[in-house]
Amino acid sequence: MTLLLWSCNEKKGDKIPVEEKEFEYLVDQFADIKILRYQIPGFEELTLKEKKLVYYLTQAGLAGRDIMWDQNYRHNLKIRKALENVYASFSGDKTTDDWKAFEVYLKRIWFSNGIHHHYSNDKIKPLFSTEYLKYLLAETDITLEDEAFKVIFNDEDNKKVNKKKGVDNVALSAVNFYGPTITDADVETFYKTAYKGPEGRPIEVGLNSTLIRENGKLVEKVWKSGGLYGSAIDQVIMWLEKAKEVAENEKQTKSLGLLIEYYKTGSLETWDEYCIEWATSTEGNIDWMNGFIEVYNDPKGYRGSYEGIVEIKDFDMSKKMAVLSEYAQWFEDNSPLMDAHKKDSVIGVTYKTVNVAGEAGDSSPSTPIGVNLPNSNWIRQQHGSKSVSLGNIIDAYNNVGGTGKLKEFAHDTEEIELEEKYGKLADKLHTALHEVIGHASGKINKGVGEPKETLKNYRSTIEEGRADLVGLYYLMDPKLQELGLVDDWEKLGKAAYDGYIRNGLMTQLVRINLGDDIEEDHMVNRQWVSAWAFEKGKADQVIEKVVKDGKTYYNINDYAKLRDLFGQLLRESQRIKSEGDFKAAQDLVEGYGVKVDQAIHAEVLKRNEQFKSAPYSGFVNPVLMPETNDAGEIIDIKIMQPENFEIQMMDYAKNYSFLTD
Ligand SMILES: [Zn+2]
């Protein structure tokens, strides 16, 4: 293992000279991807026991890494293993374009946890030929079964997740959550009569299983010890057991115990018990998320992708966020929602900014910047939820880019200056408001089902857009200044609105190809929020489309009116969720969120060419290295940084390949 010692934290007596050297965020760049590093502020201040807890939890996360690969596509592990073996043992000419294309392809699938693009869900096209891969395999004496080989190059299983309307989403999605012959109708039939948990406490049906047809009958193959993915889950359990022994308090011990029990039994009621224990376990400096959690990769929204994140509290930012949380009821009471959709008491909204110490599965290398869990609505309502912003990840993103792009797409110097001065804080506060206040706000009408039943494929984008709107509405509010969160609420609000509109109507388009629709839930919501506000404010020129020297800009003329429009749309999106109005959700998303203005898109891509920066970023994880004494006991844990992306990926393959077949 080749590692760089991270030398910013002063360690006395260290042999390596400590310099005030700037941390190198950028590790690698290929295709549309940037690989970054992140630091773990606060790690050195932890006690040995706390460091051990962090270490065991990160190991637990990594132990399940291959589950995500198999969930994403049935041939992923076979393909990855063959290509990694080639990568490790090929001794021929590595200066050719073919070899370089092979390396890029391997890095791309490492990044996506499979052969489909992590964001667009399209199958990644290799830039080498079938003959070349055959040659590499022959040279290295490695076999790859025929179907897995062919699928790298052919047109089958082209889309990992297909959420388009009017087609069989299950049959047309390559994701490995459903057996080969399962259709949309099968899934709907199965879950119409499936056990859904006790009255008023619905379990997350289907969360931890693959649905297949066996002897003509639909059955769930549960992911648990002794079940599907059992060999990897046993490793996760082994590390969780160790973590449990060094937990910071009784609640942590109890929740880790429940998580272990859940992995052993596969019981979704135990999962709920765990989620309650975990959500209410708010003491302690260390936290984690681990399990089958986000359901974005399932076209039907049932099955959770495996992930693990380990976090250390960010004490400074936490203080600020606690203020928002404390005033959650004020925000609910003063929001533009219809009275019937407001919560009388917003319960248990906790929010912390944390620093990530390790990620795995669904959250690595591509990572979220904020997380809000648990997902179960009744648990959130009755027991509260935890919401965190991943501070060091956001910092790494912010520090790696320059200001060139801002200058290209911003309308005027005031916009640039405001962004430079307030942009960072605006982003942080938007994430905080979105998570703390946004996801916690509003209630579903009595008798109306869960959004995944009522809003179906539009559930995620409506929820994300709604939470974004709560944030937008309050980003332009003197209350933030009154609470001591900003020094000039109006300037911060302007920077926030400029940034949101610039991104929602223009710059986010650099992430997709000309001619494609927008499909990713968050991108879709940013566009429907922005495009709706643009259209509704058109008569008053609230947002003005300006063309200067052949370049288009969206300039906000009236921030107060824009705030009002955001408020109206917030009210409407909450109504859609509260009433389960599928038709309105569909009209909003399809009407404003999915289709792209082709002329603008072409222009944006052209203007963006000068900034060769890749549109997607992800991270290598710092490596936690235990130091042991002669008795084999851990006496300290040091943080190292991986030298490059491929070393970390090969290292993971070597140490965490727990699924065999
Ligand atoms: Zn969200």
Side-chain angles (χ1 to χ4, degrees):
M1 202 168 6
T2 318
L3 302 157
L4 287 177
L5 185 67
W6 164 235
S7 56
C8 233
N9 298 315
E10 199 174 342
K11 284 178 226 94
K12 283 165 195 93
D14 234 347
K15 275 162 245 114
I16 292 155
V18 176
E19 305 161 42
E20 272 305 304
K21 203 177 78 181
E22 224 170 87
F23 184 75
E24 274 184 54
Y25 287 98
L26 190 65
V27 180
D28 199 355
Q29 195 162 352
F30 49 87
D32 54 356
I33 305 292
K34 268 197 301 257
I35 304 287
L36 315 179
R37 292 188 181 92
Y38 62 91
Q39 298 165 270
I40 316 177
F43 187 80
E44 295 304 320
E45 283 94 85
L46 299 178
T47 64
L48 178 59
K49 193 177 165 215
E50 289 170 325
K51 285 181 181 174
K52 281 187 192 172
L53 178 58
V54 170
Y55 174 67
Y56 296 144
L57 289 168
T58 55
Q59 294 298 308
L62 288 166
R65 172 181 184 250
D66 278 2
I67 296 173
M68 175 67 179
W69 280 76
D70 192 72
Q71 286 177 322
N72 274 343
Y73 184 51
R74 65 189 186 283
H75 292 309
N76 273 342
L77 285 172
K78 273 173 262 171
I79 292 171
R80 191 192 81 198
K81 279 173 190 167
L83 301 194
E84 281 172 345
N85 286 336
V86 167
Y87 183 78
S89 56
F90 179 66
S91 57
D93 189 354
K94 293 185 180 176
T95 61
T96 65
D97 287 349
D98 274 339
W99 177 259
K100 278 172 197 145
F102 171 80
E103 276 185 320
V104 167
Y105 180 73
L106 181 55
K107 285 183 189 178
R108 294 185 75 187
I109 70 169
W110 275 331
F111 188 84
S112 295
N113 294 307
I115 66 167
H116 297 89
H117 192 278
H118 75 291
Y119 209 78
S120 74
N121 287 312
D122 292 327
K123 201 161 73 176
I124 297 166
K125 288 191 170 58
L127 296 177
F128 51 84
S129 63
T130 50
E131 289 69 32
Y132 185 67
L133 184 56
K134 270 183 198 152
Y135 158 77
L136 289 178
L137 292 167
E139 280 291 298
T140 50
D141 208 15
I142 290 157
T143 51
L144 177 58
E145 78 173 46
D146 197 42
E147 199 189 320
F149 180 94
K150 280 187 182 145
V151 85
I152 296 175
F153 301 97
N154 66 20
D155 283 334
E156 304 217 334
D157 297 329
N158 259 335
K159 198 89 181 164
K160 185 172 86 181
V161 191
N162 187 323
K163 291 186 184 174
K164 282 214 170 86
K165 65 164 184 167
V167 297
D168 189 325
N169 298 117
V170 172
L172 293 177
S173 296
V175 74
N176 197 20
F177 289 139
Y178 298 96
T181 63
I182 306 294
T183 64
D184 234 84
D186 286 330
V187 179
E188 290 192 2
T189 312
F190 185 83
Y191 288 107
K192 214 167 269 170
T193 55
Y195 175 66
K196 297 203 178 73
E199 181 73 34
R201 289 183 284 137
I203 54 172
E204 290 181 72
V205 187
L207 186 70
N208 63 338
S209 64
T210 305
L211 185 69
I212 62 159
R213 200 184 313 277
E214 208 173 52
N215 306 322
K217 260 186 75 184
L218 293 168
V219 281
E220 288 181 333
K221 290 282 170 195
V222 178
W223 310 328
K224 61 172 187 173
S225 177
L228 204 53
Y229 302 144
S231 53
I233 289 171
D234 285 342
Q235 294 290 324
V236 176
I237 292 173
M238 194 254 306
W239 288 108
L240 291 176
E241 296 278 10
K242 286 178 191 282
K244 198 176 136 209
E245 270 160 42
V246 291
E248 293 177 89
N249 52 53
E250 239 172 82
K251 279 207 86 95
Q252 283 188 355
T253 310
K254 201 177 162 203
S255 55
L256 285 169
L258 284 164
L259 182 58
I260 292 164
E261 194 192 324
Y262 158 68
Y263 275 131
K264 285 183 176 168
T265 61
S267 158
L268 286 170
E269 272 148 336
T270 307
W271 170 248
D272 281 351
E273 275 178 66
Y274 159 72
C275 286
I276 293 167
E277 202 57 40
W278 174 83
T280 52
S281 166
T282 51
E283 305 295 317
N285 296 329
I286 318 292
D287 207 349
W288 68 86
M289 50 196 70
N290 184 294
F292 309 110
I293 300 175
E294 299 298 346
V295 297
Y296 305 115
N297 285 319
D298 179 355
K300 304 301 280 181
Y302 288 100
R303 314 193 125 72
S305 297
Y306 175 82
E307 77 175 308
I309 301 181
V310 184
E311 308 150 357
I312 302 170
K313 196 182 248 173
D314 175 341
F315 301 97
D316 171 52
M317 191 64 175
S318 295
K319 246 181 256 168
K320 278 189 171 168
M321 298 307 113
V323 175
L324 281 185
S325 192
E326 196 185 319
Y327 285 85
Q329 194 62 52
W330 184 92
F331 287 106
E332 186 75 353
D333 295 343
N334 288 277
S335 84
L337 303 190
M338 294 177 202
D339 286 340
H341 301 154
K342 285 185 187 177
K343 274 186 187 151
D344 301 329
S345 56
V346 181
I347 301 172
V349 187
T350 70
Y351 186 92
K352 290 186 295 184
T353 310
V354 297
N355 290 310
V356 167
E359 298 181 314
D362 196 14
S363 46
S364 182
S366 173
T367 165
I369 55 167
V371 189
N372 181 302
L373 291 171
N375 279 329
S376 174
N377 263 311
W378 71 267
I379 297 180
R380 302 170 70 83
Q381 281 178 10
Q382 291 174 29
H383 302 274
S385 55
K386 269 190 205 166
S387 214
V388 293
S389 174
L390 310 181
N392 55 340
I393 295 290
I394 295 170
D395 283 348
Y397 276 127
N398 290 339
N399 287 318
V400 78
T403 58
K405 218 168 172 176
L406 169 66
K407 286 175 180 148
E408 175 64 41
F409 291 100
H411 173 261
D412 49 56
T413 47
E414 193 202 357
E415 190 175 330
I416 294 166
E417 282 165 17
L418 284 174
E419 171 63 30
E420 283 179 335
K421 187 145 186 232
Y422 292 96
K424 228 170 154 175
L425 181 60
D427 276 354
K428 275 191 176 173
L429 286 173
H430 194 195
T431 305
L433 284 161
H434 172 116
E435 303 286 351
V436 180
I437 310 295
H439 282 305
S441 168
K443 63 181 179 193
I444 295 170
N445 290 1
K446 269 216 172 80
V448 173
E450 294 280 301
K452 85 173 166 213
E453 293 155 8
T454 56
L455 304 182
K456 298 177 185 178
N457 49 325
Y458 300 114
R459 173 200 94 122
S460 296
T461 189
I462 290 292
E463 178 58 16
E464 293 311 318
R466 196 189 58 75
D468 259 10
L469 283 159
V470 173
L472 288 167
Y473 186 74
Y474 284 119
L475 278 165
M476 181 66 86
D477 196 309
K479 188 74 180 177
L480 294 186
Q481 195 167 335
E482 190 194 310
L483 296 176
L485 294 167
V486 295
D487 59 13
D488 187 327
W489 66 272
E490 220 171 343
K491 284 185 175 157
L492 176 111
K494 283 182 175 181
Y497 283 16
D498 288 342
Y500 196 88
I501 294 297
R502 209 166 50 234
N503 184 51
L505 293 180
M506 303 198 76
T507 51
Q508 71 166 349
L509 296 174
V510 305
R511 294 170 158 218
I512 59 170
N513 294 321
L514 195 60
D516 288 354
D517 287 346
I518 303 180
E519 291 174 36
E520 195 276 331
D521 291 328
H522 296 82
M523 278 182 76
V524 171
N525 90 57
R526 286 182 212 123
Q527 182 171 289
W528 64 251
V529 168
S530 307
W532 187 94
F534 174 65
E535 191 189 285
K536 299 296 167 187
K538 217 167 191 174
D540 297 333
Q541 296 269 51
V542 175
I543 302 169
E544 188 182 0
K545 186 174 171 181
V546 179
V547 182
K548 271 192 298 195
D549 306 326
K551 291 179 177 180
T552 308
Y553 304 87
Y554 288 93
N555 187 42
I556 302 171
N557 288 320
D558 193 331
Y559 290 90
K561 272 197 182 145
L562 181 54
R563 184 191 191 210
D564 183 62
L565 288 169
F566 285 146
Q568 289 175 36
L569 188 55
L570 167 58
R571 185 182 171 95
E572 170 63 5
S573 54
Q574 179 62 53
R575 185 197 64 76
I576 289 171
K577 184 183 175 187
S578 295
E579 296 176 4
D581 188 342
F582 177 83
K583 175 73 171 59
Q586 179 173 300
D587 290 349
L588 190 56
V589 176
E590 299 291 340
Y592 296 92
V594 176
K595 296 287 169 212
V596 182
D597 181 323
Q598 295 299 301
I600 294 283
H601 193 182
E603 182 195 318
V604 167
L605 292 177
K606 184 108 194 60
R607 286 163 71 185
N608 191 57
E609 271 168 15
Q610 57 185 305
F611 314 108
K612 282 187 182 122
S613 166
Y616 303 103
S617 302
F619 291 86
V620 284
N621 287 299
V623 181
L624 305 183
M625 301 284 291
E627 292 182 355
T628 50
N629 62 14
D630 293 342
E633 297 154 346
I634 296 175
I635 50 166
D636 198 7
I637 292 167
K638 290 271 191 279
I639 298 177
M640 320 279 270
Q641 291 289 344
E643 192 178 295
N644 62 38
F645 183 48
E646 48 275 35
I647 286 171
Q648 179 148 83
M649 292 298 107
M650 291 301 280
D651 185 48
Y652 283 176
K654 190 171 133 220
N655 295 314
Y656 307 106
S657 285
F658 296 120
L659 293 183
T660 44
D661 67 306

